[in-house]
């Protein structure tokens, strides 16, 4: 038997109110807000967050593969999944791949993972989807798009969600697209997208599934499906015979926004958080065709409840107060910056140090037992040479021993909060505090690790760990 | 077997360029100015020099067409036209100036050379931006990058406040007293960079550079050069009667584990403790506060002066606030600190600072402080504290310079 064995999600800390957009551009202010990735986040870093959430309390060395779905890969050439796998500290003898270019990528990856486990080539396969789509300023998409990530673990044992059936359609349909040379997505006329694309494809896949498995809306406790926009989402549910009040999963449009290839999976995570053993869920995704699954929740679901998931991530938030800040975060303008030397980077150094730069390993001295970060050759406590075990520190909490708020350091989000963190169980981390409210920082406050994009020196995405105040 | 270095080497000449934003001077101009100043002071000519030591970190390619080699001995050979003499380049961060002098003194004591020249120089104002820029150029692509020196020193202030139970307001007030004193001292020193007198209120209301440090808690970015002429003590009288002797030298290079080990608390400079211990042992100092008459210490930031003085054993830990309130560190106090204006207000051209601090001690001991009003009375022994790096990972040099017994 193959099924979903765990779930996780991530929503960035910052929310921009649709009111802020209306104040910037004029016009009617929609209700609600959308999640905006911090300046040091991208689809890759968000995928590490949802993946870690999904694997909470699990042995990461048991994972046999990782598929990463996104339409906004940090690297256009060079695999992103291999970076995520290293960051979340998976084994080396695993399968990794990126599923890019379609908002349906998440379920395409899910299907591939199910097939891999079903065929016996893997026992546990992680699927992460994340998007950080930058809409054109003052466009309809700007009020719609949000950033976020979800992850599902597919396995052959301890199944929390059984997969009772599935169907797929591949369809050539030009609704929303972005060419290599485009900065923002383009779209054809809305009515064409809605009638011939969104509604038509989802109706087709659902009716195919209903026929194939002889089921009807009454057989499902929840219908979780891709939303093009809020209105059409409700319309489709009604058309298919679902009760919009009780049977339809909220598409998160007024709270997170449309998260592209992560959207349907994030909705599924939200549904699973509320699901009871025995619930049957109809799960459907759209984009260049459609995918649909019949899912059945088992008793095992109770064992994977300690996730941040959607609920806790939604509750933990900070207001992004101005559009100017947002412009900085997404680097949407040409800036008059202070003259400064270029950020240093070296692929060779980052590669040599990958075990601590990416996997966040510290050294534990076999002689004196102390933990130190970064990894050392000679013990800083007892001076023993090369006698260490590697230990992963990224899943430990820490306390902020001391800090400062640096206005001189170049940053799109001043001040840079320099942080000296004492790690639970030993070791100290000299780092930057991100996702912070500068009014609410104090020495000895608890913090946690988070993986971020640090700078772009030498044309490289230079990633590293930071800390943040513990979320929710 | 090693023997005490005390009183073996004399400083018989010193020079110092104008410190400031020397837009019209390259490093070669400042090297020429400081060196000829020192030669004249010693009453010798360039041809009398047997060997040279130059201290510079070659900041962002310090130099001009004449010194394009930047970080080699040619940095001074070329502008001074030293004729094929041996010149060694010394670099130890902001402790470079004192370490250059230290190595030159050792060569003289070893009787390899009779007369040597030491030059400390840094040209900082050719970069096109204010401040020193971000650190991490380039220790590592991502670890401890994107931060600045004030940001790192501010970590010490935050923890110092916490440890000694000072609210941020009380702590900032304490820091302000340091900066007010530095500016007052510099205001009477003709060669200093920042000569404006400031008030505590101004300090407290200034823009924040790196909380809790404000604008006046930070030293400026300064160009400058200092030079010294050394010989063995027994030869010193050939040059002058009021020569100054090297009483002790200490150097400590930290293993940089303050950001790795959880037992480092950022409120003490361990490297300073070690360098001072070496220098005090050499000079036979038992009670530093009593025996040392005045101090030029590494006050790149107001908090640096406080922790440096405590680490040097000149003030009980956590008690600097009492000394600052009583005025113990002013010219009239029992242990004047940074009479020159310090790095804070005289200026801090990195490789030059150690030589410039020695220049202040040398002139004060001779009773020749420029502007008589700032002459310290009856001083026989001064201390130079010259430090590089950041809290948790310092390189520190300490020099004790005094009049013959």
């Amino acid at each position: 038997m193959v099924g979903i064995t765990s779930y996780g999600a991530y929503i960035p800390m910052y929310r921009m109110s649709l009111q802020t957009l209306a104040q910037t551009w004029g016009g009617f202010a929609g209700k609600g807000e959308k999640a905006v990735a911090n300046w040091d986040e991208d689809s890759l870093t968000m995928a590490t967050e949802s993946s870690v959430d999904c694997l909470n309390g699990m042995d990461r060395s048991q994972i046999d593969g990782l598929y990463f779905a996104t339409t906004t890969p940090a690297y256009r050439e060079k695999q992103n999944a291999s970076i995520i796998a290293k960051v979340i500290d998976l084994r080396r003898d695993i399968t990794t791949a990126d599923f890019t270019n379609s908002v349906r990528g998440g379920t395409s990856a899910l299907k591939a993972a199910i097939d891999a486990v079903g065929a016996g080539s893997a026992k546990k396969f992680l699927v992460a989807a994340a998007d950080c789509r930058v809409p054109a300023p003052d466009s309809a998409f700007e009020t719609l798009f949000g950033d976020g990530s979800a992850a599902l673990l597919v396995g052959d044992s301890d199944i929390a969600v059984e997969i009772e059936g599935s169907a797929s359609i591949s369809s050539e349909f030009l609704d929303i697209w972005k060419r290599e040379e485009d900065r923002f997505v383009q779209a054809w006329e809305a009515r064409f997208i809605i009638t011939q694309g969104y509604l038509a494809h989802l109706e087709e896949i659902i009716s195919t599934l209903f026929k194939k498995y002889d089921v009807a809306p009454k057989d499902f406790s929840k219908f979780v499906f891709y939303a093009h926009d809020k209105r059409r989402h409700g319309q489709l549910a009604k058309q298919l015979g679902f009760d919009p009040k009780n049977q339809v999963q909220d598409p998160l449009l007024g709270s997170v926004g449309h998260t592209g290839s992560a959207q349907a999976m994030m909705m599924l995570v939200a549904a699973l958080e509320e699901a009871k053993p025995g619930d049957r869920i109809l799960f459907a995704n759209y984009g260049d065709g459609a995918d649909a699954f019949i899912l059945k929740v088992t008793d095992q679901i109770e064992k994977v409840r300690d996730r941040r998931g959607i609920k806790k991530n939604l509750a933990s938030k900070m207001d992004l107060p101005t559009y100017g800040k947002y412009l900085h975060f997404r680097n949407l303008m040409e800036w008059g910056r202070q003259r400064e030397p270029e950020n240093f980077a070296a692929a060779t150094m980052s590669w040599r140090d990958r075990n601590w730069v990416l996997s966040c390993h510290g050294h534990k001295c076999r002689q004196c037992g102390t933990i130190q970060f970064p990894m050392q050759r000679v013990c800083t406590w007892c001076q023993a040479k090369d006698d260490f075990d590697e230990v992963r520190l990224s899943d430990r909490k820490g306390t902020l021993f001391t800090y400062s708020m640096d206005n001189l350091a170049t940053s799109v989000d001043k001040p840079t909060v320099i942080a000296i963190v004492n790690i639970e169980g030993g070791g100290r981390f000299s780092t930057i505090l991100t996702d912070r409210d500068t009014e609410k920082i104090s020495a000895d406050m608890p913090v946690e690790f988070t993986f971020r994009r640090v700078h772009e020196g030498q044309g490289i995405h230079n990633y590293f760990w930071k800390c943040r105040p513990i979320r929710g | 077997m090693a023997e005490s270095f005390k009183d073996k080497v004399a400083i018989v000449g010193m020079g110092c360029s104008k410190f400031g934003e020397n837009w019209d001077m390259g490093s070669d101009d400042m090297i020429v100015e400081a060196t000829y100043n020192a030669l004249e002071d010693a009453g010798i000519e360039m041809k009398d020099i047997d060997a040279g030591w130059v201290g510079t970190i070659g900041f962002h390619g310090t130099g001009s067409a004449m010194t394009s080699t930047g970080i080699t001995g040619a940095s001074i050979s070329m502008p001074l036209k030293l004729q094929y003499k041996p010149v060694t380049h010394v670099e130890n961060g902001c402790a470079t100036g004192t370490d250059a002098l230290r190595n030159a003194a050792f060569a003289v004591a070893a009787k390899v050379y009779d007369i040597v020249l030491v030059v400390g120089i840094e040209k900082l104002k050719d970069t096109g931006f204010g401040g020193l820029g971000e650190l991490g150029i380039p220790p590592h692509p991502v670890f401890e990058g994107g931060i600045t020196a004030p940001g790192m020193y501010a970590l010490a202030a935050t923890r110092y406040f916490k440890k000694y139970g000072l609210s941020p307001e009380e702590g900032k007030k304490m820091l302000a007293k340091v900066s007010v004193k530095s500016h007052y001292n510099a205001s009477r020193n003709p060669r200093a960079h920042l000569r404006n007198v400031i008030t505590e209120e101004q300090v407290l209301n200034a823009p924040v550079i790196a909380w809790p440090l404000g604008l006046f808690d930070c030293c400026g970015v300064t160009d400058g050069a200092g030079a010294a002429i050394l010989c063995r003590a027994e030869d010193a009288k050939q040059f002058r009667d009021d020569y100054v002797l090297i009483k002790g030298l200490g150097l400590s290079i930290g293993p940089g584990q303050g950001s790795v080990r959880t037992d480092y608390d950022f409120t003490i400079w361990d490297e300073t403790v070690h360098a001072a211990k070496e220098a005090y042992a050499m000079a036979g100092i038992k009670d530093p506060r009593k025996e040392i008459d005045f101090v030029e210490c590494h006050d790149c930031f107001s908090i640096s002066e406080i922790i440096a003085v405590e680490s040097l054993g000149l003030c009980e830990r956590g008690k600097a606030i009492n000394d600052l309130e009583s005025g113990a560190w002013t010219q009239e106090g029992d242990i004047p600190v940074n009479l020159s204006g310090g790095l804070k207000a005289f200026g801090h051209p990195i490789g030059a600072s150690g030589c410039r601090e020695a220049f202040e001690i040398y002139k004060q001991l001779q009773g020749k402080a420029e502007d008589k009003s700032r002459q310290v009375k009856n001083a026989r022994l001064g201390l130079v504290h010259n430090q590089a790096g950041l809290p948790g990972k310092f390189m520190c040099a300490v020099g004790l310079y005094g009049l013959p017994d």
Side-chain angles (χ1 to χ4, degrees), chain A residues 21 32 61 83 112 146 153 192 253 272 350:
Chain A
L21 287 174
S61 70
I83 302 175
L153 185 62
F192 173 65
L253 291 177
L272 293 177
S350 296

Side-chain angles (χ1 to χ4, degrees), chain B residues 239-311:
Chain B
F239 302 94
R240 64 191 318 138
D241 291 331
D242 58 351
Y243 59 89
V244 167
L245 290 170
I246 299 177
K247 300 282 182 181
L249 287 169
L251 180 71
S252 170
I253 308 301
Q257 59 203 20
S259 59
V260 181
R261 280 176 61 151
T262 46
D263 59 348
Y264 181 65
D265 82 350
F266 286 83
T267 67
I268 200 77
W269 307 153
D270 290 316
E271 295 80 356
T272 293
V273 173
H274 283 91
K277 197 175 158 198
E278 186 187 5
Y280 292 165
M282 213 178 261
I285 303 281
K286 302 265 171 349
D287 183 347
R289 174 103 178 209
K290 254 195 196 142
E291 296 173 66
I292 294 163
D293 297 311
F294 65 114
V295 174
E296 284 289 307
C297 85
H298 197 91
D299 60 327
C300 44
F301 303 95
S302 51
I303 185 67
S304 324
E305 176 167 317
I306 287 171
I307 298 182
V309 173
E310 291 184 6
S311 301

Side-chain angles (χ1 to χ4, degrees), chain A residues 34-319:
Chain A
K34 57 180 227 162
V36 176
N38 205 339
W39 68 272
D40 55 1
E41 295 185 289
D42 60 18
S43 60
L44 188 154
T45 66
M46 291 194 292
T48 67
E49 299 267 9
S50 63
S51 296
V52 165
D53 190 38
C54 180
L55 298 177
N56 185 29
M58 293 179 163
D59 179 0
R60 298 192 201 171
S61 70
Q62 299 298 308
I63 309 300
D64 303 311
L66 166 68
Y67 289 148
F68 172 49
T70 184
T71 65
T72 50
Y75 282 108
R76 291 287 294 116
E77 177 168 344
K78 193 219 146 348
Q79 198 185 80
N80 298 272
S82 60
I83 302 175
I84 299 167
K86 184 69 185 164
V87 171
I88 63 173
D89 208 18
L90 301 186
R91 292 195 325 269
R92 200 174 154 79
D93 57 330
I94 61 169
T95 301
T96 58
D98 291 341
F99 284 66
T100 60
N101 295 356
S102 173
V103 289
R104 189 163 55 101
T107 46
S108 303
L110 179 64
K111 200 140 189 273
I114 292 166
D115 289 347
V117 174
S121 75
K123 284 181 173 306
K124 290 178 196 295
F125 218 111
L126 184 64
V127 177
D131 250 327
C132 183
R133 292 193 294 169
V134 182
D138 196 15
S139 68
F141 287 137
E142 193 174 46
T143 58
L144 186 65
F145 288 2
D147 306 324
S149 176
L152 297 171
L153 185 62
V154 176
D156 62 359
S157 59
D158 300 325
I159 290 163
V161 183
E162 289 170 6
I163 295 147
E164 292 190 331
S166 69
S168 292
I169 300 166
S170 176
S171 167
E172 163 45 26
F173 187 77
L174 190 71
D175 48 3
I176 296 170
W177 69 95
K178 187 153 89 84
R179 297 172 303 168
E180 182 76 37
E181 54 269 49
D182 292 335
R183 185 159 187 193
F184 306 112
V185 292
Q186 305 189 54
W188 203 255
E189 189 195 339
R191 289 199 54 76
F192 173 65
I193 298 174
I194 299 298
T195 59
Q196 302 305 304
Y198 178 70
L199 296 175
H201 285 83
L202 283 170
E203 273 168 355
E204 182 185 347
I205 194 78
I206 300 300
S207 56
T208 302
L209 202 70
F210 280 5
K211 250 182 238 153
K212 190 172 164 189
Y213 296 96
D214 192 24
V215 287
K218 64 171 169 45
D219 299 321
F220 296 95
S221 45
K222 268 277 148 51
F223 183 23
V224 180
F225 64 106
Y226 180 93
H228 176 79
D229 60 45
K230 202 167 169 65
R231 194 179 130 212
R232 310 298 175 172
H233 186 257
Q235 183 187 330
L236 180 65
K238 234 189 232 167
Q239 249 167 260
L240 290 168
F242 287 91
D243 169 12
K245 259 203 182 125
N246 301 312
Q247 268 183 306
V248 177
Q249 184 63 37
D250 168 36
L252 302 167
L253 291 177
S255 52
V256 179
H258 193 309
T259 54
S261 58
Q263 188 204 44
M265 274 172 56
M266 288 177 76
M267 290 167 67
L268 179 60
V269 170
L272 293 177
E273 285 173 337
E274 304 294 331
K276 289 181 291 295
D279 281 0
R280 188 175 272 142
I281 295 170
L282 178 61
F283 176 46
N285 201 5
Y286 167 76
D288 310 287
D291 292 319
F293 303 82
I294 299 171
L295 307 175
K296 194 176 175 193
V297 179
T298 76
D299 295 346
Q300 188 69 24
I301 195 82
E302 303 297 350
K303 295 196 177 143
V304 289
R305 289 287 186 214
D306 52 346
R307 303 286 181 267
R308 284 203 179 149
I310 296 297
K311 222 195 229 169
K312 285 186 185 160
N313 269 302
L314 258 184
S316 155
K317 60 181 182 177
M318 228 160 44
D319 184 39

Side-chain angles (χ1 to χ4, degrees), chain A residues 401 403-404 406-407 410 430, chain B residues 134 144 148 151 155 158-159 209:
Chain A
F401 181 73
Y403 69 100
S404 67
D406 192 340
N407 281 309
T410 311
S430 172
Chain B
E134 285 167 16
E144 295 191 323
T148 68
L155 294 172
T158 304
R159 199 67 205 180
I209 299 297

Side-chain angles (χ1 to χ4, degrees), chain B residues 25 28 56 116 121 127 144 171 175 184-185 221 225 251 278 281 306 311 317 348 353 363 372 377 387 391 404:
Chain B
M25 295 173 98
D28 47 346
T56 181
V116 302
I121 165 73
T127 60
E144 295 191 323
L175 298 181
Y184 173 70
N185 288 345
V221 178
L251 180 71
E278 186 187 5
I306 287 171
S311 301
R317 294 181 188 179
H348 179 34
S353 278
K363 289 288 182 188
K372 285 294 157 206
K377 291 192 178 73
Q387 179 177 268

